[in-house]
Structure formats: C-alpha cells, structure tokens
Amino acid sequence: MSIRRSLELLYLDLWDALRPPGFDIMLLVVAAMGGALSVLQPISSPAAALGPGFTFSPESLALFVTTIYIAIRASSDLVNIVQGGIMQVYMSYPISRRAVAAVLYITRSLLPAAMLLGVPAIVTAIMLYPVVLRGPAQYAAMWASYLVQSQLYGTVFLLLASRFRSTGTAIIASISFYFGYVALSGVLYLIGLLDNIQSLVNASNSMGFYFDVYYGLTGQAVSAWQYLVVPLSYAVLLGLYFYYFERRFEPT
C-alpha cells in the first residue's frame, strides 16, 4: 500500500515539478547546445566527447544550465508547496516522511537533472556516434560523473529550501552556494598553479567529480581520495536532507 501511495505522490508531484513552459525550454536549449558544440572541434575519444578538457563541452555547459535551473526551481517550488499548504496534503498520505522526502528529491532534483543532462548527451552521441561506439562505457561514465556532481548541488539546494521559508532567500542562498563553490575551486586551482602546489590543484579538481573521471579515463594520474570527495559529500548531504526532513522539518 505504501509503495503504491508513494508512486501516486511521485506522479502528482512530477507533473508540478516539470510543468511547462520552463522545463521544455531548457530541454530545447541544452539539446541545441549539445548538437552545436559537439561539432565545433575534433574529438577522438568517447571520454573527450563529454570531457571538460575541451573549450566547449556540451555536458559542462549543460551542467551549468541544470544547476541554475534546479537552484531556482527546487528552492522556489519547495518553499511554495509549504506556503501553499500542499506539503500538509503530501504529509497526509499514508506514507512515511522519508518517502515524502524521497519523492521530493526525485522530482525536484534527480529527474530534472537526469533529463537536462541526458538530452545533450544523447544528441552528442548521435552526432559523434563513430567516436562514442569505440567506448560506450567511458561515455556513460562521463555522463554519470556530471549527474553525481549535479546531485551534490541539488541536495544542498533542497536543504536550504527546507530551512528557509522565503522563496527569494532560498533562491539567493542556493545560487550563492553554487557560485561560492565554483569560486573556491577556481581560487584553489589558481593558487596551486601559480605557486606550483600540486596538492591545491588536486583539491580543486576533486571538487569537480567529472574532472577526476575524465583524467582517469584518459590515463592521467588521479589519487584515490580525489574520486571520493564529491560522492562522499553527496552521500553525507543526502543523509542530512533525509534526517532533517524526518526529524526537524515542519510542513507549516
């Protein structure tokens, strides 16, 4: 019974989370971007087709679009369903708070990111099919690394939105976190490069999971700890999101 009710809630909330025209426009933007950028420069390996090492990477730019979209929609939507009393309706379903939290995570972060990142990846694979077919597992690994990175951001946005009860504050906090995270990574990389401190360069790269995966797939040296920074951070943040929703979150 609880599984069926959870699926019903998932279906209902998904319609609200992906309602047009905003999401449809974003899908068209990332699709066109993937098609255009995939033919701007020669690419010879599956990992490089989505790799951040190139000046124009369809998936890197799609990650930016996806992150900003989730920051705005996840934050504002979660605040709005609380303020509009919809959250109390969700909580009235005969399912646990954990199940409600899982539904909101899937509809507000996971599925939008998978679709927005998936469309340019599919378009790029079609445009560069001779290259992608040389190593589809590498291509899929690169795509998954972007998805994991997006979910690191998404869990933070949901945590911030569940904490703040103002739409504007939640959006500003979410976007500020994202740009602060990117800025910190850039500063670490710049200092490490200028002062020849490889540990700072590695720390900067580890903040972008797709960098480490790309370097590993292309045969460059990557320490084991670098692969763990983003996935572990994501796992911890997701655990905190579920804990807060179950123990501290008030739906009014």
Side-chain angles (χ1 to χ4, degrees), residues 95-115:
I95 57 177
S96 66
R97 280 191 167 215
R98 176 176 291 270
V100 175
V103 166
L104 292 173
Y105 167 69
I106 292 171
T107 58
R108 307 292 169 171
S109 180
L110 183 59
L111 279 181
M115 294 174 68

Side-chain angles (χ1 to χ4, degrees), residues 42-52 54 57-59 121 124-125 128-143 145-146 213-214 217-218:
I43 296 173
S44 58
S45 73
L50 296 181
F54 287 93
S57 170
E59 209 68 3
T124 302
L128 300 174
Y129 73 91
V131 174
V132 174
L133 289 178
R134 297 175 193 170
Q138 292 185 3
Y139 191 81
M142 279 305 308
W143 179 81
S145 69
Y146 286 102
V213 173
Y214 173 69
L217 291 175
T218 53

Side-chain angles (χ1 to χ4, degrees), residues 163-241:
R163 178 64 181 84
F164 297 110
R165 296 308 172 91
S166 166
T167 301
T169 303
I171 293 175
I172 292 173
S174 297
I175 294 179
S176 297
F177 166 82
Y178 170 65
F179 283 108
Y181 185 92
V182 173
L184 176 59
S185 177
V187 168
L188 290 176
Y189 184 84
L190 185 61
I191 294 175
L193 193 64
L194 294 177
D195 294 341
N196 196 27
I197 305 175
Q198 188 60 39
S199 60
L200 289 182
V201 174
N202 292 341
S204 173
N205 289 335
S206 70
M207 295 177 69
F209 187 51
Y210 47 94
F211 281 108
D212 294 326
V213 173
Y214 173 69
Y215 294 148
L217 291 175
T218 53
Q220 303 179 54
V222 179
S223 301
W225 66 267
Q226 291 178 247
Y227 288 114
L228 298 176
V229 172
V230 169
L232 284 180
S233 299
Y234 162 50
V236 170
L237 288 167
L238 189 60
L240 287 174
Y241 163 70

Side-chain angles (χ1 to χ4, degrees), residues 3 8 13 16 27 29 31 39 65 74 77 94 119 132 134 142 161 163 180 189 198 201 217 220 223 242 244 251:
I3 295 177
E8 287 177 359
D13 195 61
D16 181 63
L27 285 177
V29 168
V39 297
V65 174
D77 285 355
V119 167
V132 174
R134 297 175 193 170
M142 279 305 308
R163 178 64 181 84
Y189 184 84
Q198 188 60 39
V201 174
L217 291 175
Q220 303 179 54
S223 301
F242 279 107
Y244 182 81

Side-chain angles (χ1 to χ4, degrees), residues 133-157:
L133 289 178
R134 297 175 193 170
Q138 292 185 3
Y139 191 81
M142 279 305 308
W143 179 81
S145 69
Y146 286 102
L147 182 63
V148 171
Q149 188 75 29
S150 73
Q151 295 314 288
L152 170 68
Y153 303 139
T155 51
V156 173
F157 301 157

Side-chain angles (χ1 to χ4, degrees), residues 22-71:
F23 191 74
D24 306 61
I25 294 173
M26 289 297 100
L27 285 177
L28 290 174
V29 168
V30 295
M33 186 169 56
L37 296 179
S38 61
V39 297
L40 286 181
Q41 49 196 339
I43 296 173
S44 58
S45 73
L50 296 181
F54 287 93
T55 305
F56 297 102
S57 170
E59 209 68 3
S60 294
L61 293 177
L63 176 63
F64 172 76
V65 174
T66 300
T67 303
I68 297 300
Y69 179 83
I70 295 176

